[in-house]
Amino acid sequence: MMDKMKGQARGLEVISPVFRDGCPIPKQYTCRGHNVNPPLNILKVPVSTQSLTLIMHDPDAVNGDYVHWLVWDIPPGTEVISVNSVPVGAIQGQNSSGQNKYTGPCPPKGTGTHRYFFDIYALDTTLNLPPGATLQDVIKAQKGRLLEHTSLIGLFSAEE
């Protein structure tokens, strides 16, 4: 998508080599496949960034926004998050199932297509939270520290 202002450089971006923004997430990265995180590429990180945070969540979940993956203190030089991995030095927090790991898309049958947001936050600090901290802990620690934010949205349906 082109920026509205010609010549304006795009800022922070997150893309995946296995699905495009607004398109289906391949089954292998879901509970119906290998249930491992898809590869992600992080581009154009602001120069003053001290750390990145990744929050993968499903706002269409039946019982409210479901956190699938929570990772912070990702080094700002990280350009690739490989399949089934966490960047060296990064910390994982509690997802909505109470585990410190990635859990893939797994919507119940009959609930339609869900959107899965891979939100990347560039921060002017490190969060220094302990492993297992919650989304609320991360949000509180990030308050006032945000330089830029971007999202990649993948889709998945139990009917696929």
PDB file of all heavy atoms in Angstrom, residues 36-68:
ATOM      1  N   VAL A  36       3.947 -23.958  15.318  1.00  0.00           N
ATOM      2  CA  VAL A  36       5.182 -23.192  15.525  1.00  0.00           C
ATOM      3  C   VAL A  36       4.984 -21.803  14.929  1.00  0.00           C
ATOM      4  O   VAL A  36       4.187 -21.622  14.011  1.00  0.00           O
ATOM      5  CB  VAL A  36       6.404 -23.886  14.879  1.00  0.00           C
ATOM      6  CG1 VAL A  36       6.700 -25.202  15.578  1.00  0.00           C
ATOM      7  CG2 VAL A  36       6.221 -24.082  13.376  1.00  0.00           C
ATOM      8  N   ASN A  37       5.731 -20.821  15.447  1.00  0.00           N
ATOM      9  CA  ASN A  37       5.570 -19.466  14.937  1.00  0.00           C
ATOM     10  C   ASN A  37       6.042 -19.365  13.490  1.00  0.00           C
ATOM     11  O   ASN A  37       7.012 -20.014  13.093  1.00  0.00           O
ATOM     12  CB  ASN A  37       6.294 -18.448  15.812  1.00  0.00           C
ATOM     13  CG  ASN A  37       7.797 -18.565  15.770  1.00  0.00           C
ATOM     14  OD1 ASN A  37       8.372 -19.386  16.488  1.00  0.00           O
ATOM     15  ND2 ASN A  37       8.461 -17.761  14.945  1.00  0.00           N
ATOM     16  N   PRO A  38       5.342 -18.535  12.706  1.00  0.00           N
ATOM     17  CA  PRO A  38       5.797 -18.302  11.335  1.00  0.00           C
ATOM     18  C   PRO A  38       7.032 -17.403  11.342  1.00  0.00           C
ATOM     19  O   PRO A  38       7.261 -16.664  12.304  1.00  0.00           O
ATOM     20  CB  PRO A  38       4.605 -17.583  10.690  1.00  0.00           C
ATOM     21  CG  PRO A  38       3.925 -16.899  11.817  1.00  0.00           C
ATOM     22  CD  PRO A  38       4.121 -17.798  13.007  1.00  0.00           C
ATOM     23  N   PRO A  39       7.820 -17.442  10.274  1.00  0.00           N
ATOM     24  CA  PRO A  39       8.950 -16.524  10.193  1.00  0.00           C
ATOM     25  C   PRO A  39       8.451 -15.097   9.996  1.00  0.00           C
ATOM     26  O   PRO A  39       7.447 -14.866   9.314  1.00  0.00           O
ATOM     27  CB  PRO A  39       9.709 -17.018   8.954  1.00  0.00           C
ATOM     28  CG  PRO A  39       8.669 -17.672   8.104  1.00  0.00           C
ATOM     29  CD  PRO A  39       7.687 -18.279   9.074  1.00  0.00           C
ATOM     30  N   LEU A  40       9.145 -14.161  10.624  1.00  0.00           N
ATOM     31  CA  LEU A  40       8.803 -12.744  10.520  1.00  0.00           C
ATOM     32  C   LEU A  40      10.061 -11.958  10.188  1.00  0.00           C
ATOM     33  O   LEU A  40      11.153 -12.281  10.685  1.00  0.00           O
ATOM     34  CB  LEU A  40       8.222 -12.224  11.836  1.00  0.00           C
ATOM     35  CG  LEU A  40       6.949 -12.882  12.343  1.00  0.00           C
ATOM     36  CD1 LEU A  40       6.625 -12.402  13.746  1.00  0.00           C
ATOM     37  CD2 LEU A  40       5.787 -12.624  11.393  1.00  0.00           C
ATOM     38  N   ASN A  41       9.908 -10.932   9.373  1.00  0.00           N
ATOM     39  CA  ASN A  41      11.003 -10.011   9.069  1.00  0.00           C
ATOM     40  C   ASN A  41      10.619  -8.638   9.593  1.00  0.00           C
ATOM     41  O   ASN A  41       9.507  -8.172   9.341  1.00  0.00           O
ATOM     42  CB  ASN A  41      11.247  -9.925   7.561  1.00  0.00           C
ATOM     43  CG  ASN A  41      11.688 -11.253   6.979  1.00  0.00           C
ATOM     44  OD1 ASN A  41      12.144 -12.138   7.676  1.00  0.00           O
ATOM     45  ND2 ASN A  41      11.542 -11.389   5.676  1.00  0.00           N
ATOM     46  N   ILE A  42      11.535  -8.014  10.323  1.00  0.00           N
ATOM     47  CA  ILE A  42      11.308  -6.688  10.889  1.00  0.00           C
ATOM     48  C   ILE A  42      12.186  -5.708  10.125  1.00  0.00           C
ATOM     49  O   ILE A  42      13.405  -5.893  10.036  1.00  0.00           O
ATOM     50  CB  ILE A  42      11.623  -6.672  12.396  1.00  0.00           C
ATOM     51  CG1 ILE A  42      10.770  -7.728  13.123  1.00  0.00           C
ATOM     52  CG2 ILE A  42      11.380  -5.284  12.979  1.00  0.00           C
ATOM     53  CD1 ILE A  42      11.186  -7.983  14.546  1.00  0.00           C
ATOM     54  N   LEU A  43      11.554  -4.683   9.567  1.00  0.00           N
ATOM     55  CA  LEU A  43      12.245  -3.742   8.693  1.00  0.00           C
ATOM     56  C   LEU A  43      12.108  -2.310   9.199  1.00  0.00           C
ATOM     57  O   LEU A  43      11.110  -1.959   9.829  1.00  0.00           O
ATOM     58  CB  LEU A  43      11.637  -3.813   7.282  1.00  0.00           C
ATOM     59  CG  LEU A  43      11.477  -5.209   6.674  1.00  0.00           C
ATOM     60  CD1 LEU A  43      10.604  -5.155   5.450  1.00  0.00           C
ATOM     61  CD2 LEU A  43      12.824  -5.800   6.364  1.00  0.00           C
ATOM     62  N   LYS A  44      13.111  -1.508   8.897  1.00  0.00           N
ATOM     63  CA  LYS A  44      13.089  -0.061   9.142  1.00  0.00           C
ATOM     64  C   LYS A  44      12.845   0.302  10.609  1.00  0.00           C
ATOM     65  O   LYS A  44      12.018   1.149  10.940  1.00  0.00           O
ATOM     66  CB  LYS A  44      12.073   0.624   8.235  1.00  0.00           C
ATOM     67  CG  LYS A  44      12.347   0.363   6.765  1.00  0.00           C
ATOM     68  CD  LYS A  44      11.291   0.964   5.889  1.00  0.00           C
ATOM     69  CE  LYS A  44      11.502   0.525   4.449  1.00  0.00           C
ATOM     70  NZ  LYS A  44      10.361   0.785   3.610  1.00  0.00           N
ATOM     71  N   VAL A  45      13.587  -0.351  11.481  1.00  0.00           N
ATOM     72  CA  VAL A  45      13.509  -0.057  12.917  1.00  0.00           C
ATOM     73  C   VAL A  45      14.087   1.337  13.148  1.00  0.00           C
ATOM     74  O   VAL A  45      15.170   1.658  12.650  1.00  0.00           O
ATOM     75  CB  VAL A  45      14.288  -1.124  13.722  1.00  0.00           C
ATOM     76  CG1 VAL A  45      14.363  -0.754  15.197  1.00  0.00           C
ATOM     77  CG2 VAL A  45      13.656  -2.493  13.535  1.00  0.00           C
ATOM     78  N   PRO A  46      13.379   2.200  13.885  1.00  0.00           N
ATOM     79  CA  PRO A  46      13.916   3.546  14.160  1.00  0.00           C
ATOM     80  C   PRO A  46      15.295   3.480  14.823  1.00  0.00           C
ATOM     81  O   PRO A  46      15.554   2.605  15.655  1.00  0.00           O
ATOM     82  CB  PRO A  46      12.888   4.154  15.117  1.00  0.00           C
ATOM     83  CG  PRO A  46      11.629   3.400  14.860  1.00  0.00           C
ATOM     84  CD  PRO A  46      12.062   2.007  14.489  1.00  0.00           C
ATOM     85  N   VAL A  47      16.160   4.409  14.453  1.00  0.00           N
ATOM     86  CA  VAL A  47      17.547   4.424  14.928  1.00  0.00           C
ATOM     87  C   VAL A  47      17.650   4.455  16.445  1.00  0.00           C
ATOM     88  O   VAL A  47      18.514   3.806  17.030  1.00  0.00           O
ATOM     89  CB  VAL A  47      18.299   5.642  14.317  1.00  0.00           C
ATOM     90  CG1 VAL A  47      19.703   5.755  14.872  1.00  0.00           C
ATOM     91  CG2 VAL A  47      18.337   5.518  12.805  1.00  0.00           C
ATOM     92  N   SER A  48      16.772   5.179  17.116  1.00  0.00           N
ATOM     93  CA  SER A  48      16.861   5.325  18.571  1.00  0.00           C
ATOM     94  C   SER A  48      16.216   4.176  19.355  1.00  0.00           C
ATOM     95  O   SER A  48      16.146   4.224  20.580  1.00  0.00           O
ATOM     96  CB  SER A  48      16.257   6.659  19.000  1.00  0.00           C
ATOM     97  OG  SER A  48      14.930   6.753  18.529  1.00  0.00           O
ATOM     98  N   THR A  49      15.788   3.138  18.664  1.00  0.00           N
ATOM     99  CA  THR A  49      15.143   1.999  19.325  1.00  0.00           C
ATOM    100  C   THR A  49      16.129   1.273  20.243  1.00  0.00           C
ATOM    101  O   THR A  49      17.257   0.968  19.854  1.00  0.00           O
ATOM    102  CB  THR A  49      14.591   1.011  18.266  1.00  0.00           C
ATOM    103  OG1 THR A  49      13.650   1.707  17.448  1.00  0.00           O
ATOM    104  CG2 THR A  49      13.919  -0.179  18.917  1.00  0.00           C
ATOM    105  N   GLN A  50      15.665   0.982  21.462  1.00  0.00           N
ATOM    106  CA  GLN A  50      16.455   0.217  22.427  1.00  0.00           C
ATOM    107  C   GLN A  50      15.983  -1.239  22.514  1.00  0.00           C
ATOM    108  O   GLN A  50      16.756  -2.122  22.888  1.00  0.00           O
ATOM    109  CB  GLN A  50      16.391   0.867  23.807  1.00  0.00           C
ATOM    110  CG  GLN A  50      17.014   2.244  23.853  1.00  0.00           C
ATOM    111  CD  GLN A  50      18.477   2.213  23.487  1.00  0.00           C
ATOM    112  OE1 GLN A  50      19.258   1.483  24.081  1.00  0.00           O
ATOM    113  NE2 GLN A  50      18.861   2.981  22.476  1.00  0.00           N
ATOM    114  N   SER A  51      14.705  -1.472  22.191  1.00  0.00           N
ATOM    115  CA  SER A  51      14.174  -2.839  22.187  1.00  0.00           C
ATOM    116  C   SER A  51      12.868  -2.864  21.399  1.00  0.00           C
ATOM    117  O   SER A  51      12.254  -1.829  21.150  1.00  0.00           O
ATOM    118  CB  SER A  51      13.935  -3.359  23.608  1.00  0.00           C
ATOM    119  OG  SER A  51      12.827  -2.708  24.200  1.00  0.00           O
ATOM    120  N   LEU A  52      12.479  -4.085  21.032  1.00  0.00           N
ATOM    121  CA  LEU A  52      11.211  -4.319  20.334  1.00  0.00           C
ATOM    122  C   LEU A  52      10.351  -5.253  21.165  1.00  0.00           C
ATOM    123  O   LEU A  52      10.866  -6.094  21.907  1.00  0.00           O
ATOM    124  CB  LEU A  52      11.468  -4.970  18.966  1.00  0.00           C
ATOM    125  CG  LEU A  52      12.341  -4.191  17.983  1.00  0.00           C
ATOM    126  CD1 LEU A  52      12.793  -5.095  16.841  1.00  0.00           C
ATOM    127  CD2 LEU A  52      11.584  -2.992  17.447  1.00  0.00           C
ATOM    128  N   THR A  53       9.050  -5.089  21.026  1.00  0.00           N
ATOM    129  CA  THR A  53       8.086  -5.994  21.650  1.00  0.00           C
ATOM    130  C   THR A  53       7.224  -6.578  20.542  1.00  0.00           C
ATOM    131  O   THR A  53       6.860  -5.867  19.605  1.00  0.00           O
ATOM    132  CB  THR A  53       7.182  -5.250  22.657  1.00  0.00           C
ATOM    133  OG1 THR A  53       7.991  -4.714  23.701  1.00  0.00           O
ATOM    134  CG2 THR A  53       6.132  -6.174  23.269  1.00  0.00           C
ATOM    135  N   LEU A  54       6.896  -7.862  20.661  1.00  0.00           N
ATOM    136  CA  LEU A  54       5.992  -8.540  19.739  1.00  0.00           C
ATOM    137  C   LEU A  54       4.801  -9.052  20.531  1.00  0.00           C
ATOM    138  O   LEU A  54       4.975  -9.763  21.531  1.00  0.00           O
ATOM    139  CB  LEU A  54       6.698  -9.712  19.053  1.00  0.00           C
ATOM    140  CG  LEU A  54       5.828 -10.730  18.321  1.00  0.00           C
ATOM    141  CD1 LEU A  54       5.074 -10.114  17.158  1.00  0.00           C
ATOM    142  CD2 LEU A  54       6.659 -11.902  17.845  1.00  0.00           C
ATOM    143  N   ILE A  55       3.610  -8.673  20.098  1.00  0.00           N
ATOM    144  CA  ILE A  55       2.379  -9.188  20.701  1.00  0.00           C
ATOM    145  C   ILE A  55       1.543  -9.772  19.575  1.00  0.00           C
ATOM    146  O   ILE A  55       1.133  -9.043  18.672  1.00  0.00           O
ATOM    147  CB  ILE A  55       1.578  -8.088  21.433  1.00  0.00           C
ATOM    148  CG1 ILE A  55       2.425  -7.438  22.528  1.00  0.00           C
ATOM    149  CG2 ILE A  55       0.271  -8.662  22.005  1.00  0.00           C
ATOM    150  CD1 ILE A  55       1.799  -6.187  23.148  1.00  0.00           C
ATOM    151  N   MET A  56       1.340 -11.087  19.606  1.00  0.00           N
ATOM    152  CA  MET A  56       0.458 -11.725  18.633  1.00  0.00           C
ATOM    153  C   MET A  56      -0.849 -12.031  19.347  1.00  0.00           C
ATOM    154  O   MET A  56      -0.857 -12.695  20.382  1.00  0.00           O
ATOM    155  CB  MET A  56       1.058 -13.023  18.102  1.00  0.00           C
ATOM    156  CG  MET A  56       0.153 -13.698  17.088  1.00  0.00           C
ATOM    157  SD  MET A  56       0.554 -15.439  16.963  1.00  0.00           S
ATOM    158  CE  MET A  56      -0.840 -16.033  16.033  1.00  0.00           C
ATOM    159  N   HIS A  57      -1.958 -11.515  18.779  1.00  0.00           N
ATOM    160  CA  HIS A  57      -3.237 -11.710  19.464  1.00  0.00           C
ATOM    161  C   HIS A  57      -4.378 -11.831  18.466  1.00  0.00           C
ATOM    162  O   HIS A  57      -4.257 -11.446  17.308  1.00  0.00           O
ATOM    163  CB  HIS A  57      -3.484 -10.567  20.454  1.00  0.00           C
ATOM    164  CG  HIS A  57      -3.590  -9.220  19.807  1.00  0.00           C
ATOM    165  ND1 HIS A  57      -4.796  -8.587  19.608  1.00  0.00           N
ATOM    166  CD2 HIS A  57      -2.651  -8.394  19.298  1.00  0.00           C
ATOM    167  CE1 HIS A  57      -4.580  -7.423  19.006  1.00  0.00           C
ATOM    168  NE2 HIS A  57      -3.290  -7.285  18.809  1.00  0.00           N
ATOM    169  N   ASP A  58      -5.488 -12.376  18.958  1.00  0.00           N
ATOM    170  CA  ASP A  58      -6.701 -12.603  18.170  1.00  0.00           C
ATOM    171  C   ASP A  58      -7.844 -11.805  18.794  1.00  0.00           C
ATOM    172  O   ASP A  58      -8.449 -12.243  19.776  1.00  0.00           O
ATOM    173  CB  ASP A  58      -7.035 -14.101  18.162  1.00  0.00           C
ATOM    174  CG  ASP A  58      -8.385 -14.424  17.544  1.00  0.00           C
ATOM    175  OD1 ASP A  58      -9.045 -13.530  16.975  1.00  0.00           O
ATOM    176  OD2 ASP A  58      -8.785 -15.612  17.625  1.00  0.00           O
ATOM    177  N   PRO A  59      -8.157 -10.626  18.225  1.00  0.00           N
ATOM    178  CA  PRO A  59      -9.251  -9.829  18.788  1.00  0.00           C
ATOM    179  C   PRO A  59     -10.634 -10.426  18.518  1.00  0.00           C
ATOM    180  O   PRO A  59     -11.614  -9.980  19.107  1.00  0.00           O
ATOM    181  CB  PRO A  59      -9.095  -8.474  18.093  1.00  0.00           C
ATOM    182  CG  PRO A  59      -8.447  -8.801  16.794  1.00  0.00           C
ATOM    183  CD  PRO A  59      -7.535  -9.968  17.082  1.00  0.00           C
ATOM    184  N   ASP A  60     -10.700 -11.444  17.658  1.00  0.00           N
ATOM    185  CA  ASP A  60     -11.976 -12.068  17.309  1.00  0.00           C
ATOM    186  C   ASP A  60     -12.277 -13.312  18.152  1.00  0.00           C
ATOM    187  O   ASP A  60     -13.270 -14.000  17.912  1.00  0.00           O
ATOM    188  CB  ASP A  60     -11.983 -12.450  15.823  1.00  0.00           C
ATOM    189  CG  ASP A  60     -11.686 -11.253  14.937  1.00  0.00           C
ATOM    190  OD1 ASP A  60     -12.270 -10.182  15.195  1.00  0.00           O
ATOM    191  OD2 ASP A  60     -10.869 -11.383  14.012  1.00  0.00           O
ATOM    192  N   ALA A  61     -11.430 -13.610  19.123  1.00  0.00           N
ATOM    193  CA  ALA A  61     -11.628 -14.793  19.962  1.00  0.00           C
ATOM    194  C   ALA A  61     -12.971 -14.715  20.689  1.00  0.00           C
ATOM    195  O   ALA A  61     -13.444 -13.628  21.038  1.00  0.00           O
ATOM    196  CB  ALA A  61     -10.490 -14.921  20.967  1.00  0.00           C
ATOM    197  N   VAL A  62     -13.552 -15.862  20.913  1.00  0.00           N
ATOM    198  CA  VAL A  62     -14.883 -15.971  21.503  1.00  0.00           C
ATOM    199  C   VAL A  62     -14.967 -15.295  22.879  1.00  0.00           C
ATOM    200  O   VAL A  62     -15.936 -14.606  23.171  1.00  0.00           O
ATOM    201  CB  VAL A  62     -15.302 -17.459  21.599  1.00  0.00           C
ATOM    202  CG1 VAL A  62     -16.659 -17.596  22.252  1.00  0.00           C
ATOM    203  CG2 VAL A  62     -15.312 -18.093  20.212  1.00  0.00           C
ATOM    204  N   ASN A  63     -13.937 -15.465  23.712  1.00  0.00           N
ATOM    205  CA  ASN A  63     -13.964 -14.910  25.065  1.00  0.00           C
ATOM    206  C   ASN A  63     -13.152 -13.631  25.204  1.00  0.00           C
ATOM    207  O   ASN A  63     -12.636 -13.334  26.270  1.00  0.00           O
ATOM    208  CB  ASN A  63     -13.463 -15.959  26.068  1.00  0.00           C
ATOM    209  CG  ASN A  63     -14.399 -17.136  26.156  1.00  0.00           C
ATOM    210  OD1 ASN A  63     -15.615 -16.964  26.123  1.00  0.00           O
ATOM    211  ND2 ASN A  63     -13.853 -18.332  26.238  1.00  0.00           N
ATOM    212  N   GLY A  64     -13.023 -12.863  24.124  1.00  0.00           N
ATOM    213  CA  GLY A  64     -12.258 -11.626  24.175  1.00  0.00           C
ATOM    214  C   GLY A  64     -10.882 -11.792  23.563  1.00  0.00           C
ATOM    215  O   GLY A  64     -10.482 -12.895  23.188  1.00  0.00           O
ATOM    216  N   ASP A  65     -10.150 -10.707  23.452  1.00  0.00           N
ATOM    217  CA  ASP A  65      -8.842 -10.687  22.800  1.00  0.00           C
ATOM    218  C   ASP A  65      -7.924 -11.748  23.422  1.00  0.00           C
ATOM    219  O   ASP A  65      -7.650 -11.721  24.614  1.00  0.00           O
ATOM    220  CB  ASP A  65      -8.240  -9.291  22.939  1.00  0.00           C
ATOM    221  CG  ASP A  65      -7.189  -8.977  21.892  1.00  0.00           C
ATOM    222  OD1 ASP A  65      -6.854  -9.858  21.080  1.00  0.00           O
ATOM    223  OD2 ASP A  65      -6.704  -7.835  21.898  1.00  0.00           O
ATOM    224  N   TYR A  66      -7.453 -12.677  22.587  1.00  0.00           N
ATOM    225  CA  TYR A  66      -6.638 -13.803  23.046  1.00  0.00           C
ATOM    226  C   TYR A  66      -5.191 -13.570  22.649  1.00  0.00           C
ATOM    227  O   TYR A  66      -4.886 -13.387  21.467  1.00  0.00           O
ATOM    228  CB  TYR A  66      -7.161 -15.096  22.422  1.00  0.00           C
ATOM    229  CG  TYR A  66      -6.545 -16.352  22.974  1.00  0.00           C
ATOM    230  CD1 TYR A  66      -7.200 -17.094  23.954  1.00  0.00           C
ATOM    231  CD2 TYR A  66      -5.313 -16.808  22.521  1.00  0.00           C
ATOM    232  CE1 TYR A  66      -6.631 -18.258  24.458  1.00  0.00           C
ATOM    233  CE2 TYR A  66      -4.743 -17.975  23.023  1.00  0.00           C
ATOM    234  CZ  TYR A  66      -5.410 -18.687  23.998  1.00  0.00           C
ATOM    235  OH  TYR A  66      -4.850 -19.843  24.506  1.00  0.00           O
ATOM    236  N   VAL A  67      -4.287 -13.571  23.632  1.00  0.00           N
ATOM    237  CA  VAL A  67      -2.857 -13.397  23.377  1.00  0.00           C
ATOM    238  C   VAL A  67      -2.253 -14.768  23.053  1.00  0.00           C
ATOM    239  O   VAL A  67      -2.297 -15.690  23.861  1.00  0.00           O
ATOM    240  CB  VAL A  67      -2.140 -12.777  24.596  1.00  0.00           C
ATOM    241  CG1 VAL A  67      -0.641 -12.690  24.350  1.00  0.00           C
ATOM    242  CG2 VAL A  67      -2.732 -11.413  24.909  1.00  0.00           C
ATOM    243  N   HIS A  68      -1.681 -14.885  21.847  1.00  0.00           N
ATOM    244  CA  HIS A  68      -1.051 -16.127  21.406  1.00  0.00           C
ATOM    245  C   HIS A  68       0.448 -16.153  21.660  1.00  0.00           C
ATOM    246  O   HIS A  68       1.035 -17.222  21.803  1.00  0.00           O
ATOM    247  CB  HIS A  68      -1.291 -16.335  19.905  1.00  0.00           C
ATOM    248  CG  HIS A  68      -2.684 -16.775  19.603  1.00  0.00           C
ATOM    249  ND1 HIS A  68      -3.030 -18.097  19.450  1.00  0.00           N
ATOM    250  CD2 HIS A  68      -3.826 -16.078  19.453  1.00  0.00           C
ATOM    251  CE1 HIS A  68      -4.317 -18.186  19.192  1.00  0.00           C
ATOM    252  NE2 HIS A  68      -4.832 -16.970  19.202  1.00  0.00           N
TER     253      HIS A  68
END
